[in-house]
Amino acid sequence: MTDDSSRAFVPGHVTGFFSVHEADDPEQAGSRGAGLTLSEGVTVSVEPAAETSMQLNDEPAAVEAVTRVLDALDVDARVTATTDLPIGAGFGVSGAAALGTALAANRSFDCGRSENELVAIAHAAEVESGTGLGDVVAQARGGVPIRLDPGAPEYGRMDGVPARSRVEYLTLGERSTSEVLAGNTDRLSEVGVDKLVRLVEEPTLPTLMAASREFAREADLLTPEVEEVLAAVEEEGGEAAMAMLGETVFALGNSLSRAGYEPETCETHPAGATLKMD
């Protein structure tokens, strides 16, 4: 173990559509689907401590997935996470915190785990916490990831849309991922698989956005507030969709701005999660 803290950056992730795939082994469970990783993300610092604690944006926080990661690595640490992304609004902040903790703790404590092992630990922690099914593997890859098969790296299979874009987003409120995932997801998953087949046949950003819009409607996840924003963007000829799972609209280019909104802006992230050099 070293005495120094270590830091990692993990891109945010918005999912456009997905299907749920359960398994007894959390490393094999997960989701299929697609979305965007974002240049805005979560920076996680880990340093050895007598007992585990966590802060998120300078406030005490309890992120179950982070605790599970530290337990899996058998270490106690002080975890400090910072982000400009909205919390609980579909940006994968929990998954980013878990993955960032795994990467940084591995270096701080000289755990000797490989990247795939650390991704698997963070993915399993997210699944067991009920806060996400596919964010971690997407955030580890970066770009515009397509999750072809569910699960951690040993089981999951990934591809991606070979494109980059400016991204705008507008958050209208929070939504509980665990509540949605705890309900009946059969219809949602059926629609998600259909959209995945469509994107694999035509792996482009316009197809991703169109499939995502259709998924939200057909899976009955749209709220009136989000639907109003999507309609306004569509009237201006823009590309926007609902982030899964959150009261958030994400858009390509300047689609939200052209529709008269004042969104936050970033871009797709060219790479996955990385350790930061101090």
Side-chain angles (χ1 to χ4, degrees), residues 56-118:
L56 177 59
N57 289 346
D58 297 323
E59 295 289 337
V63 179
E64 182 181 340
V66 168
T67 303
R68 287 181 177 274
V69 166
L70 295 174
D71 287 346
L73 294 173
D74 195 24
V75 299
D76 291 308
R78 173 183 168 84
V79 178
T80 305
T82 58
T83 184
D84 290 329
L85 292 170
I87 310 298
F91 290 92
V93 171
S94 175
L99 180 54
T101 297
L103 291 169
N106 183 67
R107 183 162 72 178
S108 283
F109 291 89
D110 195 20
C111 296
R113 305 297 185 97
S114 72
E115 284 188 359
N116 278 357
E117 289 175 316
L118 295 169

Side-chain angles (χ1 to χ4, degrees), residues 104-268:
N106 183 67
R107 183 162 72 178
S108 283
F109 291 89
D110 195 20
C111 296
R113 305 297 185 97
S114 72
E115 284 188 359
N116 278 357
E117 289 175 316
L118 295 169
V119 173
I121 287 171
H123 171 78
E126 264 269 275
V127 170
E128 291 177 319
S129 300
T131 48
L133 294 172
D135 286 324
V136 168
V137 293
Q139 289 163 323
R141 184 189 187 280
V144 185
I146 303 173
R147 305 187 304 282
L148 297 173
D149 290 319
E154 183 178 352
Y155 306 100
R157 190 164 55 99
M158 305 281 291
D159 203 343
V161 176
R164 294 189 64 186
S165 176
R166 182 178 189 269
V167 179
E168 296 185 335
Y169 61 88
L170 183 70
T171 298
L172 306 172
E174 297 182 6
R175 191 172 197 173
S176 171
T177 297
S178 57
E179 286 183 11
V180 175
L181 296 181
N184 189 318
T185 58
D186 290 349
R187 172 59 181 165
L188 175 156
S189 294
E190 180 184 340
V191 176
V193 170
D194 287 344
K195 303 312 171 189
L196 179 61
V197 170
R198 178 179 173 187
L199 182 62
V200 168
E201 290 176 349
E202 187 179 20
T204 67
L205 286 176
T207 302
L208 169 63
M209 299 303 287
S212 298
R213 286 192 299 273
E214 293 167 6
F215 172 80
R217 290 191 176 97
E218 294 173 25
D220 198 27
L221 291 170
L222 272 183
T223 63
E225 293 81 6
V226 169
E227 192 161 21
E228 181 180 331
V229 177
L230 294 181
V233 170
E234 189 173 3
E235 283 182 15
E236 296 297 325
E239 294 277 5
M242 179 181 179
M244 302 292 147
L245 290 156
E247 289 289 295
T248 294
V249 175
F250 67 97
L252 301 183
N254 62 350
S255 295
L256 281 164
S257 300
R258 277 174 26 216
Y261 295 97
E262 296 182 1
E264 300 295 326
T265 64
C266 58
E267 60 186 30
T268 52

